[in-house]
């Protein structure tokens, strides 16, 4: 578990402003393997320069459950804008004190040193794989803005009187939920994380039942609504790429999911979340290659801005060799065609569709993914819960009728105070 340290204040910096990889190769491939002549190969291949930015994970951290390293927490803050991601208990207390200086090398120092580690503190490894080791540091790494401020005579984060804190007006007791510790790092850049035991088996069963028996599980004014979610496909008919069924839920109907998602991302309010969804894939159903980021428009910022995080939670197991995995086309390791994430009941999958690369581009093309077709003879349906986080709190809820963020306050606090 990440150790508690004094929180440094950072300037506001939108994740979307950091950009994402939007450039792809414009050259048509002269030849394609026969097995790639299908709807899973609709997008052009990544440009070679973009391929060089990919950093796969090693087998240990991709399969073994552990907390994230300090450097990965810094990466989540510095690249994706989530400075308070999975914060430990007491993270926002004003009286927190640093418990000693750390000799750990920061990510910024590693990346800016030009490969010369001759002046490293004793015991610090220069291997980039250190990013994947659980954190042993007692302090957070220095932010680049501190280095600039020190050089120019400006005020550093340590010199400012107050830390970045939770909203004073927040009515949600999100911080009562314990920090998560069962992470698997499936890919480093772009970052793809799995969080085991994110939902309990009972919570998973509840959400499936909300859709199977809505009248039994809900009242007349909070029943789920069947609908479709907007995604960026290869053309104007991209919606037809999806052959599953989707239910939109009232926030108050799924307090466990909303509260835990908010806690994981280090937020104190829920007003940046889109409507919670449950999706069912039956035999042979799939969702072909797509991007979760939204197409740019002049009105996007006034509608909540870009999608900056995707959170999926597998509500059922589908078993081996039954399909149904979440596939990332360009993130497979050496010798692997795709990065494939097999559904595991209660496990969350988190990635970031609109940040992490070339500035001023609307989305990260490297996060292209698909829902693999469920086998025609699969014994069980595949069920997932999904949530998208917007860039700002201007998002206007589209359904179900009467749904609102504020109406979920009592249900969320009841769950947060239940332990």
């Amino acid at each position: 578990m990440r150790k508690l340290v004094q929180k440094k204040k950072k300037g506001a910096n939108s994740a979307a402003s950091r950009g994402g990889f939007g450039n792809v190769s414009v050259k048509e491939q002269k030849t394609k393997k026969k097995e790639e002549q299908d709807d899973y190969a609709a997008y052009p291949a990544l440009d070679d320069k973009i391929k060089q930015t990919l950093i796969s994970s090693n087998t240990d951290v991709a399969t073994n459950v552990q907390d994230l390293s300090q450097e990965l927490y810094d990466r989540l803050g510095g690249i994706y804008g989530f400075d308070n991601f999975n914060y430990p208990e007491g993270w926002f207390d004003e009286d927190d004190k640093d418990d000693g200086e750390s000799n750990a090398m920061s990510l910024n120092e590693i990346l800016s040193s030009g490969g010369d580690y001759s002046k490293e503190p004793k015991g610090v490894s220069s291997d980039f794989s250190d990013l994947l080791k659980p954190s042993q540091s007692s302090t957070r790494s220095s932010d680049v803005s501190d280095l600039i401020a020190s050089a120019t005579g400006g005020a550093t984060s340590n010199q400012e009187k107050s830390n970045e804190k939770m909203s004073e007006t927040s009515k949600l007791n999100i911080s009562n939920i314990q920090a998560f510790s069962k992470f698997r790092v499936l890919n480093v850049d772009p970052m793809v994380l799995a969080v085991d035991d994110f939902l309990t088996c009972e919570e998973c069963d509840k959400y499936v039942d909300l859709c199977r028996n809505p009248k039994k599980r809900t009242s007349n004014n909070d029943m789920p609504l069947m609908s479709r979610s907007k995604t960026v496909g290869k053309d104007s008919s991209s919606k037809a790429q999806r052959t599953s069924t989707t239910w939109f839920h009232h926030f108050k109907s799924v307090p466990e999911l909303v509260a835990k998602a908010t806690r994981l991302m280090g937020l104190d309010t829920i007003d940046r979340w889109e409507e919670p969804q449950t999706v069912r894939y039956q035999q042979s159903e799939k969702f072909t290659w797509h991007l979760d980021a939204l197409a740019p428009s002049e009105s996007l910022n006034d509608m909540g801005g870009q999608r900056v995080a995707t959170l999926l939670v597998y509500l059922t197991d589908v078993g081996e060799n039954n399909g149904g995995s979440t596939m990332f086309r360009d993130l497979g390791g050496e010798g692997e065609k795709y990065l494939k994430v097999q559904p595991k009941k209660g496990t969350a999958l988190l990635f970031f569709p609109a940040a992490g690369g070339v500035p001023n581009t609307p989305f990260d093309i490297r996060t292209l993914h698909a829902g693999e077709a469920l086998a025609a003879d699969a014994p069980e349906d595949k069920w997932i819960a999904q949530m998208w986080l917007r860039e700002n709190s201007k998002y206007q809820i589209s359904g179900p009728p009467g749904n609102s963020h504020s109406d979920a306050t009592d249900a969320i606090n009841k769950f947060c105070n239940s332990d």
Side-chain angles (χ1 to χ4, degrees):
M1 177 62 63
R2 179 170 47 157
K3 294 184 179 180
L4 176 63
V5 295
Q6 188 174 11
K7 184 73 176 70
K8 296 181 179 181
K9 184 173 182 179
K10 299 182 179 181
N13 195 356
S14 166
S17 67
R18 294 177 173 88
F21 282 97
N23 297 327
V24 296
S25 174
V26 297
K27 296 181 179 179
E28 292 291 334
Q29 294 178 318
K30 294 183 179 179
T31 59
K32 290 184 178 182
K33 295 181 180 179
K34 183 177 181 180
E35 63 268 22
E36 292 179 343
Q37 301 289 341
D38 56 24
D39 56 3
Y40 286 151
Y43 284 79
L46 290 183
D47 184 270
D48 287 341
K49 291 183 178 180
I50 294 179
K51 288 182 179 179
Q52 293 175 8
T53 69
L54 301 174
I55 303 175
S56 60
S57 185
N58 63 48
T59 302
D60 177 61
V61 296
T63 57
N64 296 329
V65 173
Q66 57 190 314
D67 193 12
L68 299 178
S69 71
Q70 186 62 54
E71 299 293 351
L72 286 179
Y73 278 115
D74 291 339
R75 196 174 183 88
L76 284 159
I79 295 178
Y80 299 106
F82 296 102
D83 297 324
N84 302 321
F85 185 88
N86 197 42
Y87 56 85
E89 183 180 357
W91 186 250
F92 300 94
D93 293 346
E94 288 185 333
D95 295 334
D96 289 343
K97 301 295 182 181
D98 287 341
D99 55 2
E101 292 296 324
S102 168
N103 64 355
M105 197 174 191
S106 73
L107 176 63
N108 293 318
E109 292 170 324
I110 292 174
L111 298 180
S112 64
S113 62
D116 181 8
Y117 303 111
S118 58
K119 296 182 180 180
E120 290 176 356
K122 184 177 180 180
V124 176
S125 170
S126 61
D127 196 320
F128 196 76
S129 63
D130 279 357
L131 290 173
L132 306 176
K133 296 178 181 178
S135 173
Q136 301 297 323
S137 172
S138 60
T139 61
R140 286 182 69 91
S141 302
S142 297
D143 188 69
V144 144
S145 60
D146 282 355
L147 301 178
I148 297 175
S150 298
T152 59
T156 66
S157 56
N158 283 334
Q159 295 170 328
E160 300 193 16
K161 292 183 179 181
S162 61
N163 297 329
E164 181 179 348
K165 299 191 65 177
M166 292 293 196
S167 170
E168 295 289 343
T169 59
S170 174
K171 297 180 181 180
L172 298 179
N173 300 325
I174 299 295
S175 60
N176 288 358
I177 302 174
Q178 291 186 347
F180 299 93
S181 60
K182 297 182 178 181
F183 290 94
R184 288 179 285 125
V185 184
L186 306 181
N187 202 76
V188 175
D189 196 352
M191 193 175 294
V192 181
L193 301 174
V195 190
D196 288 347
D197 297 334
F198 183 82
L199 291 180
T200 66
C201 288
E202 292 76 14
E203 290 165 350
C204 292
D205 294 341
K206 169 189 172 181
Y207 293 157
V208 172
D209 200 33
L210 279 175
C211 301
R212 283 178 169 166
N213 304 290
K215 292 184 179 180
K216 172 184 174 183
R217 301 289 309 203
T218 62
S219 62
N220 290 331
N221 64 350
D222 62 358
M223 290 180 61
L225 175 69
M226 292 178 60
S227 185
R228 300 253 180 213
S229 177
K230 296 179 180 179
T231 57
V232 179
K234 68 181 181 68
D235 52 36
S236 60
S237 64
S238 61
K239 291 183 182 179
Q241 293 176 294
R242 190 172 200 165
T243 56
S244 57
T245 305
T246 302
W247 288 264
F248 279 26
H249 295 283
H250 288 260
F251 286 93
K252 62 182 179 181
S253 297
V254 289
E256 303 90 346
L257 172 64
V258 177
K260 289 183 179 182
T262 303
R263 176 64 173 85
L264 177 67
M265 304 309 296
L267 308 174
D268 62 331
T269 66
I270 67 171
D271 54 5
R272 290 169 56 191
W273 289 111
E274 293 186 29
E275 303 87 343
Q277 301 177 24
T278 300
V279 184
R280 181 191 65 194
Y281 293 86
Q282 296 182 309
Q283 293 175 343
S284 300
E285 291 186 338
K286 62 186 178 182
F287 195 175
T288 54
W289 294 118
H290 63 282
L291 297 167
D292 285 350
L294 301 172
S297 70
E298 293 183 358
S299 61
L300 184 58
N301 185 66
D302 293 331
M303 299 172 61
Q306 188 55 270
R307 287 171 170 170
V308 294
T310 294
L311 182 73
L312 306 179
V313 187
Y314 300 108
L315 303 179
T316 54
D317 295 310
V318 300
E320 295 292 334
N321 302 316
N322 286 318
S325 65
T326 304
M327 306 187 301
F328 293 84
R329 187 193 68 175
D330 300 302
L331 305 186
E334 185 175 353
E336 297 179 1
K337 186 175 181 180
Y338 308 127
L339 170 61
K340 300 181 71 171
V341 185
Q342 187 70 20
K344 179 182 177 183
K345 188 173 182 177
T347 291
L349 179 67
L350 175 68
F351 59 96
F352 308 91
V358 177
N360 302 318
T361 51
F363 36 76
D364 190 340
I365 191 68
R366 303 174 303 169
T367 62
L368 187 71
H369 61 287
E372 182 184 26
L374 193 64
D377 59 350
E380 301 289 341
D381 293 341
K382 170 189 171 183
W383 289 83
I384 65 171
Q386 63 186 21
M387 296 185 71
W388 283 296
L389 183 69
R390 292 297 191 97
E391 184 181 359
N392 62 55
S393 59
K394 298 179 183 179
Y395 179 70
Q396 299 296 316
I397 298 173
S398 58
N403 192 13
S404 74
H405 294 105
S406 59
D407 282 351
T409 298
D410 290 343
I412 289 176
N413 280 339
K414 182 178 179 180
F415 167 70
C416 293
N417 297 333
S418 61
D419 292 338

